[in-house]
Amino acid sequence: MRKPALNDEILLKIEKPARYIGGEVNSVMKDKEQVDIRFAMCFPDVYEIGMSHLGIQILYDMFNRRDDVWCERVYSPWTDLDKVMREEKIPLFALESQDPVREFDFLGITIQYEMCYTNILQVLDLSGIPLDAEERTWEDPIVIGGGPCTYNPEPLAEFFDLFYIGEGETVYDRLFDVYKEVRARGGSRQEFLEAAAEIEGIYVPSFYETTYHEDGTIRSFDPVNPHAKPVVHKQVVMEMQDTTYPEKPVVPFIKVTQDRVVLEIMRGCIRGCRFCQAGMLYRPTRERDVEVLKDYAYKMLKNTGHEEISLSSLSSSDYSELKELVTFLIEEFKDKGINISLPSLRIDAFSLDVMGKVQDIRKSSLTFAPEAGSQRMRNVINKGLTEEMILDGAGQAFEGGWNKVKLYFMLGLPTETEEDMRAIPELADKIARRYYEIPKDQRNGKCQVTTSTSFFIPKPFTPFQWAKMYTNEEYIGKAAVVKRGFQDQLNRKSLKYHWHDAEVTVLEGVMARGDRKVGRVIREAYRLGCLYDSWSDLFDNDKWMQAFENTGIDIGFYNLRERSLDEVFPWDFIDIGVTKPFLKREWERAMKGEVTPNCRMQCSGCGVAKWKGGVCVEGKN
């Protein structure tokens, strides 16, 4: 019988106690005496966010299929419980067994976005695990990081024993077997790390050393342990049919962000948008078999009781069997009260027809992501959308009964001019005008066009990784230009405008392209009380600025300079398949406003064809 980590008195005085008690439907319970490896899988954010993450559900299912492994879940305690745990000296615990995380063999942390970095330190701190990896012993778990932010792991290097570079289904089994072998023969922690470093895709940061030029840029980044490789290769699943997928995902007790069954229909994207990190990281595009997906849909809905099913991918419209899959889902489940969610669709005749069947048109809005207002800027970012296509899609939607549209744009893109900024409200106004071209008796009430702008952040392994950023004040100035532009539009009563926080953008930029020195700022910000930095009501920019001042780290060095094409980046030792010469070519094409065709139209020689699979071999014998 397991003993709850929190007593009733504590549970009654904190918000949403169901976040911490475990025991959800489909959660896995094992006898801890009968397994060799205990793995605590952590999402360093609140339960509702972490429970919505597909990657953790996949790994949780995969690990627990092994008889010798018990994988449990752990999330960041919300601020109320954080305070109680520190006061009462309660160690952070896993949900299933309620045992302290420090008793586990592994603590696996998925790192999905830069603004969760202080939460990672919270998880280590509350677990009683030394923040510095070099201070840990066999009394502590092996701390391993995975997820998109590990493609520049350097700001977090001193806090992690290992990073897993790539897709989780590939080499974890080997890592577990190596761990068991080292522990069975009484090997040291160092011996395990050395054996792990021999596995493709595993990066051990303590085995590498960085030297710097006088100007602060990197001179060299080299292994200092014979077991460490000069290049760490991303791990990729090429046969999507051969991977495990959770037929019985864990069902939360409380409402979470994504309260639905999620069907991953493909990985990767053919589009090649130059700002998009996921589009580069997850190449090549690989599809799941439509018959397998139909089977998963049945089983997952039956095993969870969820009333919604969502298709997951970076660009669902590019899935070659989309029509067959969606038609099947509508016919099978629409009359059973199951909602069908179709994110990441391009607005074309088929998509609108499908959405008309699965949505209440009067209540729902359509989302367009032109990303840039002017055609020149859309060519720079390789968006592959013309104004004609955007207005045509909006027109078809309005004629189909929709009257609400959401538009997403970015400000601060490379080569942006004031004219490009003013083109954003002008495009929104043209879309509203398109609505009012419909005869009045055929319209569905008034039109509402809601526009949001975020500030562009250059990410590693994108053609824009060389780009400069701006100061907080400059970003606010850009949003002000757009806001004034909206006030000048003919249909301004039909238009709404929102913009994202510039302060967070500046910080995210430092984290995204930072080197090991940035770890000092993260540690200091955490010491000053920063936590849940991606939550606007908890984000404290003053404390972050104080942390930069206290550590002598210059934001401008990371954000306000355009990198030279020959600069050594902190992430250059990672091979993601997409080559640096290709990214340079795309950067140069961006500067000329040249469009690169998508992968199905023409191979652009990015490098991932070396895996001989997915879209790279479609239609070839």
Side-chain angles (χ1 to χ4, degrees), residues 454-575:
S454 59
F455 299 110
F456 162 69
I457 299 164
K459 293 290 176 95
F461 295 110
T462 66
F464 287 170
Q465 63 184 355
W466 287 276
K468 65 167 290 202
M469 290 180 65
Y470 299 90
T471 63
N472 183 37
E473 293 71 27
E474 287 171 315
Y475 283 124
I476 293 167
K478 288 174 182 291
V481 169
V482 177
K483 188 168 189 282
R484 284 195 300 273
F486 271 99
Q487 290 161 355
D488 295 338
Q489 299 309 312
L490 182 69
N491 293 291
R492 57 185 172 274
K493 287 185 179 175
S494 296
L495 308 177
K496 284 185 180 175
Y497 175 51
H498 308 290
W499 63 94
H500 286 216
D501 192 343
E503 293 174 338
V504 172
T505 299
V506 169
L507 276 180
E508 197 176 324
V510 175
M511 307 294 172
R513 293 189 293 176
D515 52 20
R516 290 197 177 188
K517 290 180 275 191
V518 171
R520 301 205 298 266
V521 185
I522 299 167
R523 186 192 295 258
E524 180 64 5
Y526 175 69
R527 189 190 70 80
L528 292 171
C530 293
L531 201 60
Y532 284 104
D533 299 305
S534 60
W535 294 70
S536 55
D537 52 336
L538 295 175
F539 174 66
D540 191 331
N541 194 56
D542 291 341
K543 284 179 182 169
W544 272 101
M545 292 305 104
Q546 187 66 52
F548 278 100
E549 191 177 320
N550 293 357
T551 54
I553 301 293
D554 176 24
I555 292 175
F557 173 77
Y558 296 100
N559 284 5
L560 302 181
R561 61 189 181 90
E562 193 169 292
R563 274 91 167 137
S564 69
L565 285 176
D566 59 357
E567 179 171 332
V568 176
F569 289 142
W571 53 89
D572 274 350
F573 70 96
I574 298 173
D575 169 24

Side-chain angles (χ1 to χ4, degrees), residues 107 234 263 300 342 365 477 542 561:
L107 169 60
K234 173 184 87 171
L263 268 189
M300 293 170 80
L342 302 163
S365 62
D542 291 341
R561 61 189 181 90

Side-chain angles (χ1 to χ4, degrees), residues 361-431:
I361 290 172
R362 290 186 172 275
K363 291 180 182 174
S364 62
S365 62
L366 286 178
T367 299
F368 292 81
E371 310 293 1
S374 68
Q375 193 58 50
R376 188 194 75 81
M377 274 306 318
R378 285 194 293 277
N379 291 350
V380 167
I381 65 179
N382 207 44
K383 183 64 186 175
L385 268 183
T386 63
E387 185 171 291
E388 185 184 5
M389 291 160 73
I390 294 165
L391 294 177
D392 184 54
Q396 288 185 50
F398 293 147
E399 282 156 15
W402 275 272
N403 67 343
K404 293 195 274 291
V405 170
K406 290 180 182 173
L407 301 173
Y408 289 98
F409 296 90
M410 282 185 287
L411 287 171
L413 287 158
T415 78
E416 180 184 72
T417 65
E418 190 163 319
E419 192 178 336
D420 297 316
M421 297 176 221
R422 287 200 302 267
I424 292 173
E426 287 165 8
L427 180 58
D429 187 66
K430 286 174 186 172
I431 289 171

